[in-house]
Amino acid sequence: MTVRRKYEENFFRFLSFLFTAIIVFALVQIIWTIAKKGVPSLSWQIISQEPKGGYYFGKDGGILNAIAGSFYLAVSATVLAFIISLPVALFMNIYLIRYQRLLIGIRFFLDVLWGVPSIVYGAFSFTLLMYLGYKNSLGAGTITVAAMITPIMIRAMDEVVKTIPIGLQEASLALGSTKTETAYKVFFREALPGFATAILLAFGRGIGDAASVLFTAGYTDYIPHSFSEPTATLPLAIFFQLSSPIEEVQNRAYAAAVILTLIVLVLSVSARLLKPRK
Amino acid sequence: MPSTIELKQETEVKVESIPAHVPIVKIDKLNVYSKGTHILKDVSTVIPKNKITVLLGPSGCGKTTLLKCLNRLTDLYPDLKINGSIKIDGEDIFDAGRDITTIRQKMGLLLQRPYPLPMSIYDNIAYGLKLKGIRKKKIVNAKVEKHLKEVALWDEVKDRLKTSAQRLSIGQQQRLCLARGLAVEPEIILADEPSSALDPISSKVIDEEFLRLKSDYTIILVTHSLRQAKRLGDNIIFMYYGEIVESGPAEQVFENPQSKILQEYLRVGH
Ligand SMILES: Nc1ncnc2c1ncn2[C@@H]1O[C@H](COP(=O)(O)OP(=O)(O)O)[C@@H](O)[C@H]1O
Ligand SMILES: [Mg+2]
């Protein structure tokens, strides 16, 4: 090796190392900060009770309303998004496989939607749903979050279905299956392990997002009992408590952040474990 | 309208009475183009019933394309422009429209690599039966057993019928795919270099099964292996650059090749 190439190699290796270190350092810092402030405020009470009178001034109670609300919202949005995404992902890869140009266009379009900031979905849904006469509610929040995570889910599922070899489609058609049968009886099963990853990915995105539900889900101290009631969510619970001047309430915001981080961490790790190995 | 239906019935009746030497597949002036390349050029031939017809030729000469035309899997590839006619049992497959699924069930397909369906061994065979409306447990069980025996797989898998087919060895998977195809009771078996990905023992098993199956089925076998063509072929269709160069009974084609290209192919192949 010439001296120059040696220097180059060392320089770029150093750069990669440096930036990796920065990323890891930032991540550790975030988790450390949240944990330092949040873990002391974690208690059985905070995850098992709804806010009591005076909770926001540092009195008794917990954020069960937000934990339950977030789960309700994320689960229903994920279910709704899945119902929409499944036929689209299968349709793209079975019916549109003949139209590669169109497919490229659709994928590009979905990727753009993926990149749209969630506050835009929030503002758009707010305008639309208010125009239609909906009020802030679990239902409105569900629709908003579903709209936000659907492009993510379609593309994640699409990437899974795309890897299925055309030979399997030929084999299925040769047996006399229609395209629909091929989609739902053959491709669906083949893609199922990969779909689990896509679902968890979208769920994680849905449960952690604050901006999309800011205008549409409302906020309440109670656990919602129907889609027409407003609901609290963890990200908003963090947001509201953090804006309090009282330190004890602020620390509870960090405790909520610890809970949310743990949920998302568990989801990401499961998504990784479920990912089919090639 | 009634007259066409009558006509169809008439042709079907004729099919029943076809003697064994009468063609089951008739290909007439078939041309396939793809973006300026002419993949199949004026291919016309007939394929007789209950014989093994071998499509022989070097890689890239159009054997797979011809095979996929027969059950219109070419529909999957938008680049391919096709004209000409292919009649199976007297029915032109290009006129079939959406009813192509029924025509496809007349043909079992074996690809170069096995593609078992993502389900159990049992369900791989039951799948095709269900498509044909056969759901009675007893009948399905009996057929699963019958067709697994037909491909000499029954003894190897009878204790684990409910396990995933994708866990079988490649050779077992290929035999399962054959059994799966036979279960829909086709008349024709289309096989595209079915043993090229297999170990010698599995490929010998497949060869022997073909020899046994030909009394009940018409087999169209694509291969570039002279050894396999000589061992199995009753009739040989030799293709080169998208054209049928020579075709006829195996003895005649191998003992007395007419064209320079085939003579060369036979010489180099030895
Ligand atoms: N879907 C397709 N689109 C474009 N060209 C194709 C397609 N399928 C096959 N071809 C071309 O047609 C020719 C014949 O291919 P093929 O039928 O696979 O040959 P063989 O099976 O004899 O090896 C090749 O040159 C191949 O590149
Ligand atoms: Mg081929």
Side-chain angles (χ1 to χ4, degrees):
Chain A
M1 246 192 298
T2 62
V3 178
R4 197 186 136 182
R5 286 178 59 211
K6 227 177 221 159
Y7 274 120
E8 256 176 25
E9 167 71 12
N10 285 339
F11 178 69
F12 282 104
R13 198 192 324 192
F14 171 73
L15 271 192
S16 321
F17 175 78
L18 181 70
F19 287 119
T20 312
I22 291 174
I23 302 268
V24 172
F25 179 74
L27 185 69
V28 171
Q29 265 297 305
I30 291 170
I31 292 178
W32 173 243
T33 311
I34 296 171
K36 196 172 63 182
K37 295 192 178 177
V39 171
S41 298
L42 269 184
S43 64
W44 177 242
Q45 189 189 8
I46 204 168
I47 57 173
S48 66
Q49 290 183 11
E50 298 173 23
K52 301 251 167 68
Y55 173 79
Y56 297 104
F57 300 103
K59 297 260 173 59
D60 273 358
I63 51 162
L64 181 62
N65 60 328
I67 297 174
S70 264
F71 265 101
Y72 287 170
L73 187 75
V75 168
S76 32
T78 304
V79 169
L80 183 58
F82 180 74
I83 292 171
I84 300 168
S85 305
L86 177 68
V88 177
L90 291 176
F91 183 83
M92 283 167 62
N93 287 285
I94 290 195
Y95 286 85
L96 299 187
I97 192 86
R98 293 183 50 123
Y99 308 101
Q100 281 297 327
R101 287 242 181 81
L102 180 63
L103 263 185
I104 291 170
I106 293 174
R107 288 189 176 126
F108 176 73
F109 177 72
L110 288 168
D111 288 342
V112 170
L113 283 181
W114 185 326
V116 169
S118 56
I119 189 89
V120 176
Y121 283 98
F124 171 74
S125 301
F126 177 72
T127 319
L128 185 73
L129 293 168
M130 293 311 124
Y131 175 76
L132 293 173
Y134 284 87
K135 31 182 204 3
N136 285 341
S137 62
L138 175 59
T142 296
I143 293 173
T144 312
V145 174
M148 180 188 84
I149 63 177
T150 297
I152 299 173
M153 210 192 270
I154 295 177
R155 279 295 280 129
M157 289 168 79
D158 171 44
E159 287 298 324
V160 177
V161 183
K162 213 165 75 174
T163 61
I164 298 177
I166 195 153
L168 188 62
Q169 190 172 348
E170 292 182 346
S172 170
L173 292 176
L175 284 171
S177 322
T178 61
K179 287 191 172 180
T180 309
E181 284 159 347
T182 302
Y184 289 93
K185 293 187 176 158
V186 178
F187 272 39
F188 177 72
R189 284 195 214 202
E190 180 78 12
L192 208 52
F195 282 175
T197 309
I199 290 167
L200 289 178
L201 180 73
F203 185 88
R205 192 58 206 275
I207 203 166
D209 194 70
S212 59
V213 290
L214 187 57
F215 308 125
T216 49
Y219 199 83
T220 167
D221 284 349
Y222 305 102
I223 296 174
H225 295 291
S226 78
F227 280 109
S228 58
E229 289 173 34
T231 181
T233 52
L234 273 171
L236 292 187
I238 297 169
F239 177 66
F240 291 140
Q241 296 181 99
L242 211 51
S243 353
S244 161
I246 301 164
E247 204 189 335
E248 199 169 345
V249 179
Q250 284 183 11
N251 286 341
R252 284 179 183 165
Y254 285 102
V258 170
I259 296 169
L260 183 56
T261 310
L262 280 179
I263 294 173
V264 173
L265 197 71
V266 168
L267 286 173
S268 316
V269 172
S270 344
R272 190 132 285 244
L273 290 180
L274 278 174
K275 196 170 215 152
R277 263 149 281 218
K278 288 279 144 63
Chain B
M1 266 295 141
S3 65
T4 46
I5 291 168
E6 269 165 37
L7 218 106
K8 232 180 188 168
Q9 278 168 346
E10 237 176 60
T11 43
E12 270 166 25
V13 172
K14 270 191 211 149
V15 171
E16 294 286 303
S17 59
I18 284 180
H21 63 272
V22 169
I24 186 166
V25 180
K26 197 164 183 297
I27 302 172
D28 211 17
K29 294 220 171 62
L30 182 73
N31 283 284
V32 178
Y33 307 84
S34 161
K35 291 184 184 156
T37 54
H38 199 166
I39 300 178
L40 292 181
K41 300 166 190 162
D42 257 335
V43 168
S44 301
T45 189
V46 292
I47 289 166
K49 209 173 167 170
N50 291 38
K51 296 259 189 285
I52 297 183
T53 299
V54 170
L55 296 181
L56 183 68
S59 297
C61 70
K63 306 180 297 291
T64 298
T65 309
L66 179 56
L67 203 68
K68 284 184 181 168
C69 282
L70 293 177
N71 62 359
R72 266 185 43 198
L73 282 178
T74 42
D75 288 5
L76 287 174
Y77 305 92
D79 290 345
L80 300 182
K81 300 279 171 287
I82 302 170
N83 61 53
S85 94
I86 296 177
K87 289 201 169 111
I88 290 176
D89 290 342
E91 192 180 356
D92 195 322
I93 63 163
F94 295 115
D95 292 340
R98 279 176 181 263
D99 213 25
I100 187 65
T101 54
T102 325
I103 295 181
R104 284 188 182 141
Q105 284 180 333
K106 289 185 182 182
M107 289 169 266
L109 177 69
L110 267 191
L111 294 165
Q112 256 166 315
R113 294 188 27 194
Y115 288 97
L117 303 175
M119 41 188 89
S120 70
I121 296 169
Y122 181 94
D123 285 336
N124 258 272
I125 295 180
Y127 181 86
L129 298 173
K130 281 183 188 144
L131 293 182
K132 294 197 100 179
I134 303 171
R135 284 166 184 280
K136 278 226 179 74
K137 194 101 192 140
K138 237 180 168 176
I139 303 179
V140 175
N141 285 344
K143 292 211 175 219
V144 168
E145 182 172 344
K146 177 185 160 201
H147 293 294
L148 284 175
K149 280 182 173 157
E150 214 169 357
V151 298
L153 195 58
W154 175 252
D155 289 331
E156 291 161 53
V157 301
K158 64 174 181 238
D159 301 322
R160 46 173 173 151
L161 289 175
K162 296 290 178 189
T163 59
S164 165
Q166 293 173 335
R167 261 185 258 148
L168 295 171
S169 76
I170 296 283
Q172 290 172 322
Q173 286 184 10
Q174 191 65 304
R175 278 181 280 152
L176 179 68
C177 288
L178 180 57
R180 175 181 77 186
L182 297 178
V184 289
E185 297 186 339
E187 299 164 35
I188 305 170
I189 296 170
L190 308 174
D192 189 358
E193 306 189 18
S195 34
S196 62
L198 307 186
D199 61 282
I201 296 186
S202 303
S203 90
K204 192 161 167 255
V205 171
I206 293 264
D207 281 4
E208 280 162 8
E209 274 151 26
F210 278 163
L211 288 174
R212 256 186 323 103
L213 290 169
K214 77 170 175 184
S215 51
D216 297 318
Y217 302 91
T218 304
I219 298 173
I220 305 175
L221 172 68
V222 167
T223 184
H224 58 227
S225 147
L226 264 180
R227 187 194 56 78
Q228 201 181 25
K230 284 183 175 162
R231 212 167 110 74
L232 300 181
D234 296 312
N235 291 295
I236 309 292
I237 296 175
F238 178 70
M239 294 176 66
Y240 196 73
Y241 277 110
E243 275 176 296
I244 294 183
V245 179
E246 235 177 295
S247 64
E251 322 75 81
Q252 179 197 314
V253 170
F254 287 134
E255 298 309 323
N256 194 11
Q258 301 297 307
S259 61
K260 275 249 156 56
I261 304 162
L262 180 55
Q263 285 164 7
E264 181 72 11
Y265 193 80
L266 293 177
R267 204 169 49 76
V268 175
H270 272 295

